[in-house]
Amino acid sequence: MAPTQAQLDADTIQRGSAWTRDLTDALGRVVVGQEHLVRSLLIGLLTGGHVLLEGVPGLAKSLAVSTLARAVGGDFARLQFTPDLLPSDLVGTEVYHARDGSFAPRKGPIFANFILADEINRAPAKVQSALLEAMQERQVSIGGETFPLPRPFLVLATQNPLEQEGTYALPEAQLDRFALKVVLDYPRQDEELVILDRMASTAEPIEVTPVTSPEAVLATRPLVDAVTLDPRLREYIVRLVHATRRPAEAGLSELAGMIEYGASPRGTIVLALTCKAEALLEGRDYVTPTDIKRVAPDVLRHRVAPTYEAEASGFDSDALVRRVLETVPVP
């Protein structure tokens, strides 16, 4: 039975989220730096939200995701997205048995707890469409028959910046299915020295053993729902999202011609869920405005599209979201 807000206290949070600290430590033994990346992956686990990771090659995106899957102990599948990938390579297909003339489904690699969709923006539109049903409905169709996906089910996709040769822009509908989009930067010099000491060797990679289980992850999600989100903060979240759609009404008249489209209602829902998960990771049973501001850039950056005029003026989606967060008053 899920705890109510009245039943949630510090001890319940500490016990229920103990595995998140163990998981953070396990990831930290393999992935140097990238604390924000690790935090975002934990939020995705706690909320069941898919995560899109963007950065140039070599920033440990794939390493972080594969390490996460091993540390949780769930089924893991890595899919290298390429221009010649077919939908059947992802979800599976029907196989003909000549002996009795029947067809039987052969399930694809999508039937795993953790899907690493590596370089997702290198695959064509048909493959993206095949992934869309799995991400939203947690089910796939093979030969007219629907099959549920395992729980938890999480797509953790990596993406190279669009200016990289051979990439496709993801459809807006699919981008909206990602709860978070995390943009990675190069490590600091001190972090890169640690990477050099740890990785510049012919020795076997660091072994990762499970520190938690998929069942523990699912058992913690009701705690996220039980975290208190004050009505004033609920209104604040709605105001933030509406400011991305009608900036002039939020006192952002200078952005009126710079936003092609703003965040969807799904963005509002995700922002409310992720700020609760952020509070839980901080050991609190209530959300603060800081929690909302901390997760908002990752929730909104891929849901706010700048116009051509905005891009020409140097305003990308991050700059637009940052301006909204600076302007909309905090309750």
Side-chain angles (χ1 to χ4, degrees):
M1 186 177 183
T4 64
Q5 291 182 343
Q7 296 170 331
L8 195 61
D9 55 26
D11 290 338
T12 304
I13 290 175
Q14 291 296 322
R15 290 194 305 271
S17 62
W19 62 266
T20 64
R21 295 181 287 278
D22 296 335
L23 188 56
T24 301
D25 293 340
L27 286 167
R29 287 193 291 271
V30 178
V31 181
V32 179
Q34 303 292 10
E35 291 87 357
H36 180 61
L37 166 60
V38 172
R39 187 78 159 199
S40 300
L41 293 177
L42 286 174
I43 290 175
L45 271 179
L46 287 169
T47 60
H50 309 295
V51 182
L52 178 62
L53 309 174
E54 182 176 286
V56 297
L59 296 183
K61 301 184 296 296
S62 301
L63 176 64
V65 174
S66 60
T67 302
L68 173 75
R70 292 197 298 271
V72 172
D75 295 328
F76 171 65
R78 175 175 178 166
L79 296 168
Q80 188 67 45
F81 278 48
T82 57
D84 59 350
L85 195 70
L86 298 174
S88 58
D89 297 328
L90 179 68
V91 302
T93 187
E94 282 193 315
V95 178
Y96 176 71
H97 295 287
R99 179 175 300 176
D100 57 6
S102 65
F103 287 87
R106 176 179 291 174
K107 295 181 179 180
I110 195 74
F111 288 89
N113 297 115
F114 297 93
I115 302 298
L116 170 55
D118 212 2
E119 296 187 304
I120 189 174
N121 59 332
R122 292 195 182 277
K126 285 186 177 180
V127 176
Q128 307 295 353
S129 298
L131 186 60
L132 195 59
E133 180 187 10
M135 292 176 62
Q136 179 62 23
E137 306 297 336
R138 264 68 174 184
Q139 65 182 28
V140 296
S141 300
I142 304 175
E145 188 175 356
T146 300
F147 297 89
L149 294 168
R151 297 183 67 238
F153 173 75
L154 208 61
V155 173
L156 304 164
T158 69
Q159 171 176 281
N160 292 326
L162 292 180
E163 56 264 29
Q164 295 283 328
E165 185 178 355
T167 61
Y168 299 81
L170 295 181
E172 288 83 358
Q174 185 172 7
L175 278 175
D176 200 34
R177 263 66 175 189
F178 284 102
L180 305 172
K181 179 183 177 183
V182 181
V183 177
L184 306 181
D185 201 356
Y186 291 108
R188 302 190 308 266
Q189 289 189 28
D190 59 324
E191 293 173 343
E192 198 149 2
L193 280 172
V194 177
I195 294 172
L196 187 63
D197 292 339
R198 187 177 295 180
M199 301 297 184
S201 170
T202 58
E204 291 295 321
I206 299 172
E207 184 177 356
V208 179
T209 57
V211 298
T212 185
S213 66
E215 293 75 21
V217 172
L218 293 174
T220 307
R221 288 181 179 175
L223 294 180
V224 177
D225 296 330
V227 171
T228 300
L229 182 60
D230 188 274
R232 291 170 295 176
L233 293 183
R234 291 164 64 90
E235 293 176 3
Y236 176 56
I237 288 173
V238 171
R239 288 201 305 272
L240 285 175
V241 174
H242 271 255
T244 69
R245 304 170 190 164
R246 300 178 179 87
E249 295 178 9
L252 289 158
S253 55
E254 72 274 18
L255 300 185
M258 294 190 174
I259 298 177
E260 185 173 349
Y261 62 83
S264 69
R266 185 180 286 111
T268 310
I269 295 168
V270 171
L271 186 51
L273 277 174
T274 53
C275 71
K276 286 185 174 186
E278 175 70 22
L280 191 74
L281 290 172
E282 289 293 319
R284 284 184 275 100
D285 63 349
Y286 59 92
V287 173
T288 68
T290 301
D291 296 324
I292 298 172
K293 287 195 169 189
R294 193 174 291 149
V295 300
D298 292 342
V299 172
L300 298 177
R301 65 162 51 95
H302 55 299
R303 294 182 165 94
V304 176
T307 61
Y308 174 78
E309 290 77 13
E311 292 179 331
S313 302
F315 273 82
D316 58 9
S317 59
D318 279 331
L320 295 172
V321 171
R322 187 164 53 248
R323 190 75 181 91
V324 167
L325 290 171
E326 291 170 350
T327 304
V328 175
V330 178

